Amino acid sequence: MRATGHFTQQGEDTGSAIVVDTAYLVMGDRYQPSMRASYRKLIVIAGLGIALAADAIADEVNVPEGAVTWRDDTCSRPWLAGTWSDQRCAMVGLQGMVEQLMELES
């Protein structure tokens, strides 16, 4: 993958990672470049060489069984595996996210 305005190479003590502009990936047409200014955190996905840029990390939560609405159709957003509506949380499918990133970069 090459670096673009939405994906950049970031050196880490344990190697390097592609840093994903998460708002760009999630928001699509509603994305505004000014959103990048709020990023303060990186969520590193071990073993994939990917880090997700985030403005904040609130807390770790346990998702109650049956609370997630899993998606069957992942054509429009392959990274979105499901949602937990009560907490406005997205369940990220890492394989779908990697596939979408590869597609955006090609």
Side-chain angles (χ1 to χ4, degrees), residues 22-49:
T22 312
Y24 173 73
L25 184 68
V26 172
M27 300 193 67
D29 293 342
R30 298 178 314 207
Y31 175 78
Q32 299 292 318
S34 61
M35 294 173 174
R36 295 182 78 171
S38 66
Y39 293 148
R40 301 285 182 262
K41 305 286 184 182
L42 290 177
I43 302 167
V44 178
I45 310 297
L48 290 179

Side-chain angles (χ1 to χ4, degrees), residues 1-74:
M1 235 183 276
R2 65 186 188 281
T4 69
H6 303 293
F7 313 103
T8 57
Q9 194 77 23
Q10 175 72 38
E12 296 289 329
D13 292 340
T14 58
S16 65
I18 301 295
V19 178
V20 178
D21 183 342
T22 312
Y24 173 73
L25 184 68
V26 172
M27 300 193 67
D29 293 342
R30 298 178 314 207
Y31 175 78
Q32 299 292 318
S34 61
M35 294 173 174
R36 295 182 78 171
S38 66
Y39 293 148
R40 301 285 182 262
K41 305 286 184 182
L42 290 177
I43 302 167
V44 178
I45 310 297
L48 290 179
I50 293 174
L52 305 176
D55 56 355
I57 300 171
D59 202 357
E60 180 180 309
V61 296
N62 290 315
V63 180
E65 188 174 337
V68 174
T69 302
W70 297 105
R71 297 180 71 216
D72 292 325
D73 176 21
T74 57

